[in-house]
């Protein structure tokens, strides 16, 4: 499967990161969100916050 980098707006990332209660890094947590909820054709390996 293809790997992708996802560009996420700053406010969206900030709101998701408020829910990060795990010990995952910010990037790992946001990649998990993208992979589980966004339904993209590929696996997110990096989230770029704009």
């Amino acid at each position: 499967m293809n790997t992708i980098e996802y560009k996420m707006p700053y406010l969206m990332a900030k709101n998701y990161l408020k829910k990060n209660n795990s010990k995952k890094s910010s990037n790992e947590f946001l990649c998990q969100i993208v992979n589980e909820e966004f339904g993209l054709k590929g696996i997110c390996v990096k989230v770029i916050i704009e």
Side-chain angles (χ1 to χ4, degrees):
M1 205 170 233
N2 295 335
T3 58
I4 59 171
E5 294 181 356
Y6 184 82
K7 290 184 180 179
M8 182 178 286
Y10 172 77
L11 291 176
M12 180 187 281
K14 183 178 173 182
N15 286 330
Y16 277 122
L17 289 172
K18 286 180 185 178
K19 302 174 187 177
N20 185 6
N21 296 326
S22 65
K23 293 183 180 181
K24 294 181 180 180
S25 71
S26 298
N27 189 63
E28 285 179 309
F29 182 75
L30 291 173
C31 284
Q32 178 183 347
I33 296 293
V34 171
N35 289 326
E36 292 177 358
E37 296 183 13
F38 289 23
L40 301 176
K41 292 184 179 181
I43 297 174
C44 180
V45 294
K46 182 177 181 181
V47 174
I48 301 165
I49 299 172
E50 294 186 321

